[in-house]
Amino acid sequence: MASKKTLNATNLEALGATRLSELLMEITRGDNEAKRRLRLELAGAQGSGEVAKEIRKRLATIARSNSFVEWDQIKKLIRDLELQRSAIVDQVAKDNPAEAVELLWRFAALANSVFERCDDGSGRVVDVFHNAVDDLGEVALSANPDPKTLASQIFNALTQNDYGQYDYLIRSLTPALGETGLEHLKEQVVALSKEPTSKPKDRKIIGVSSSGPIYADDYAESSRSSMISLALQEIADAQGDVDAFIAQKSENAKTVPTVATEIAHRLLAAGRAEEAWEAINAVDEERANWIPFEWEKTRIEVLEALGNDKEAQDFRWSCFERSLNDQHLRAYLKQLPDFEDMETEDRAMEVALQHSNVHIALIFLVSWPNLEKAAELVLARFEELDGNLYEFLPPAADALAAKHPLASTLLHRALIDFALGKARSTRYRHSARHLRECASLAALIEDFAPHETHEAYVERLKAKHGRKSMFWGLVGQ
């Protein structure tokens, strides 16, 4: 049984309302964040209308603020914003969805002023506004606003989307807009696209690029054009209009793998496989490093939709040979008859051993997993290992340690040699740990040939890097 002194709700309740109230006043003294929470709770006891009043006052205060938010105050800002957003959704929306919609628009409108006075390099602040946009979509369904009025609100918001806070606005509000709202929004965006633009006499330079000065009016026009194109694409998706989506892509853009993939996906969904085949093949396949996995996957889907199953399998295999992507191999094996897949898997492991990039091969073999082949790869091609790839080699060394200690040791040595050879002092602590790992693994290795024994390796390190006292001091720790 818990002690009566244990901090829990039951024991605190025993203190009585009067004492708890006194404690809350004492604890929240000087804590504005806690006081705002209590005010919202008090307002909630009087109804959602009072909560809405408190939220309006707080949003107005945030909008008026012009002090810069330092990095160590970002979390406090986020908590404040989240408190207001949650109160709108959890308290106001339940009783008065129309008022909640109005408050969420006010909340979202804070974004530009908030971003002007803080650095959101982590993306945590914009996530709060994206959450508010999601909330807006859900609450608007209950509020049942006039579709054309809602469309105008969306249009106005998109023209002020300086920090990407409204990026998902159309998608979120599509159910509430309906066909009438979507069509009205489309008309507004198209009308904007037709408005003439002119360059000011006194052009303001806001930056410099490799091609020359960047003018404010050019930047503004580029942002405007981008907004129009993206909005029309989202409207086209919402209306299921594939051709309208494609119309927003330039001929040059259609040769970009990501764009070709987007177009082909939509054409496939519309049952237009032949056109999807043309779209997916508009890219330059010779630029292999430029081809992403999603493009390859979509091309296979198109081939299968056209009934070209053998060609789809052949393409899966060629993609695997190039990239060693395990998803391609697993999909390939899944299509094979029983027992034939085992033989093909063995062939795939040999392909990995011969791959031009030893690191891609190592990652594949360890993750597949086939640790025996991974160890074989390391032993055969250890001279190709790049000890600078700290995110890849240590996990591989750990995976190989138990059953393949020599291969694991060689991976650790590659990391050590790079750090000491390049005098990367920030890695010395890790390198010292790698050397201690090598010492532990040495007892498990019966034959180091043709490589140095652990003792010989340490002596070579001392001869070459003996003056790096910081490293050697860490080795003994």
Side-chain angles (χ1 to χ4, degrees):
M1 185 175 180
S3 167
K4 290 186 177 181
K5 292 187 289 185
T6 301
L7 194 60
N8 57 39
T10 301
N11 288 342
L12 286 173
E13 187 177 346
L15 294 175
T18 301
R19 181 55 184 154
L20 283 173
S21 299
E22 292 171 350
L23 285 172
L24 278 173
M25 291 302 295
E26 180 181 337
I27 291 169
T28 59
R29 188 175 296 122
D31 188 340
N32 291 330
E33 188 177 342
K35 287 179 180 179
R36 283 193 288 272
R37 175 66 185 274
L38 289 177
R39 287 194 192 98
L40 282 173
E41 291 296 327
L42 290 171
Q46 300 177 59
S48 62
E50 291 301 315
V51 176
K53 288 180 183 178
E54 284 296 321
I55 294 171
R56 279 194 181 85
K57 285 193 290 185
R58 184 57 192 158
L59 296 185
T61 300
I62 296 173
R64 288 194 303 269
S65 180
N66 55 18
S67 58
F68 190 81
V69 183
E70 299 294 343
W71 67 270
D72 57 343
Q73 296 296 308
I74 290 288
K75 287 184 179 179
K76 184 181 290 187
L77 170 64
I78 292 172
R79 286 196 299 269
D80 188 5
L81 291 170
E82 280 290 3
L83 178 62
Q84 307 308 317
R85 185 188 68 81
S86 298
I88 296 171
V89 176
D90 297 336
Q91 298 183 63
V92 181
K94 290 179 180 179
D95 293 336
N96 193 335
E99 186 166 33
V101 166
E102 187 264 327
L103 286 172
L104 284 169
W105 278 118
R106 282 177 179 258
F107 182 94
L110 292 174
N112 286 346
S113 64
V114 166
F115 287 119
E116 284 171 1
R117 58 190 185 89
C118 76
D119 181 3
D120 187 35
S122 66
R124 291 176 297 169
V125 179
V126 79
D127 282 345
V128 177
F129 290 101
H130 288 163
N131 290 338
V133 166
D134 289 340
D135 295 332
L136 191 53
E138 293 182 18
V139 179
L141 274 176
S142 300
N144 194 28
D146 174 68
K148 290 187 176 182
T149 301
L150 181 60
S152 295
Q153 288 177 301
I154 294 171
F155 176 77
N156 291 332
L158 292 176
T159 62
Q160 301 171 53
N161 190 27
D162 295 351
Y163 296 89
Q165 67 270 26
Y166 294 121
D167 281 355
Y168 310 110
L169 192 59
I170 297 176
R171 188 186 314 167
S172 177
L173 284 163
T174 289
L177 279 168
E179 189 57 38
T180 299
L182 283 169
E183 195 59 38
H184 187 64
L185 177 59
K186 181 178 179 179
E187 290 171 2
Q188 291 177 289
V189 176
V190 170
L192 177 63
S193 70
K194 294 178 180 178
E195 290 183 5
T197 59
S198 59
K199 295 189 183 300
K201 292 182 180 179
D202 297 321
R203 304 183 71 193
K204 181 180 178 182
I205 297 176
I206 58 174
V208 179
S209 69
S210 58
S211 58
I214 301 173
Y215 294 98
D217 58 289
D218 284 341
Y219 181 80
E221 176 56 25
S222 175
S223 298
R224 173 179 173 274
S225 298
S226 178
M227 183 278 282
I228 290 169
S229 178
L230 290 173
L232 290 175
Q233 288 176 48
E234 289 195 48
I235 294 168
D237 275 342
Q239 294 181 321
D241 190 339
V242 181
D243 294 312
F245 178 89
I246 296 173
Q248 294 305 312
K249 304 296 185 180
S250 68
E251 291 304 312
N252 188 54
K254 291 175 185 177
T255 66
V256 177
T258 52
V259 176
T261 301
E262 290 177 346
I263 294 173
H265 264 307
R266 287 162 173 80
L267 288 168
L268 264 185
R272 297 158 63 177
E274 294 287 351
E275 293 171 80
W277 179 245
E278 292 182 18
I280 203 67
N281 287 308
V283 306
D284 181 6
E285 293 182 58
E286 296 301 318
R287 298 176 62 181
N289 293 331
W290 194 45
I291 303 297
F293 170 76
E294 283 304 319
W295 180 88
E296 296 172 334
K297 183 171 177 288
T298 301
R299 190 173 190 271
I300 291 167
E301 290 172 0
V302 176
L303 282 167
E304 290 179 330
L306 292 169
N308 299 329
D309 293 343
K310 182 182 183 303
E311 192 174 342
Q313 274 289 77
D314 292 343
F315 186 63
R316 280 193 187 98
W317 184 259
S318 66
C319 289
F320 168 72
E321 287 184 310
R322 180 183 64 80
S323 64
L324 297 187
N325 186 295
D326 67 312
Q327 293 186 55
H328 282 312
L329 180 57
R330 293 185 196 282
Y332 186 89
L333 295 175
K334 191 175 180 180
Q335 303 296 319
L336 298 177
D338 292 342
F339 304 111
E340 189 176 325
D341 58 341
M342 296 178 65
E343 181 182 337
T344 303
E345 183 177 339
D346 290 340
R347 181 159 62 99
M349 298 306 112
E350 294 303 318
V351 168
L353 288 176
Q354 301 302 319
H355 195 270
S356 60
N357 189 314
V358 68
H359 304 102
I360 291 176
L362 179 61
I363 293 166
F364 165 74
L365 290 168
V366 170
S367 62
W368 181 253
N370 189 323
L371 298 183
E372 184 177 344
K373 290 297 182 182
E376 183 180 335
L377 176 78
V378 172
L379 295 175
R381 300 172 62 180
F382 68 93
E383 292 180 347
E384 299 175 45
L385 296 172
D386 183 354
N388 189 33
L389 299 179
Y390 199 83
E391 63 272 35
F392 301 133
L393 299 195
D398 292 342
L400 293 171
K403 294 186 178 180
H404 305 280
L406 180 55
S408 180
T409 295
L410 294 178
L411 291 172
H412 284 299
R413 288 181 181 181
L415 291 158
I416 297 167
D417 291 343
F418 177 84
L420 296 183
K422 299 294 184 179
R424 298 288 178 84
S425 58
T426 56
R427 296 190 182 183
Y428 284 178
R429 183 174 297 279
H430 298 297
S431 296
R433 176 171 54 81
H434 293 313
L435 189 59
R436 290 194 293 271
E437 288 289 336
C438 289
S440 298
L441 292 168
L444 305 175
I445 301 172
E446 295 181 0
D447 184 7
F448 277 88
H451 306 283
E452 299 167 295
T453 63
H454 177 67
E455 292 76 12
Y457 176 69
V458 172
E459 286 304 314
R460 179 166 64 80
L461 284 184
K462 288 181 177 178
K464 191 172 183 179
H465 305 289
R467 294 186 178 182
K468 293 182 170 69
S469 56
M470 177 182 174
F471 167 73
W472 293 106
L474 291 167
V475 170
Q477 293 183 4

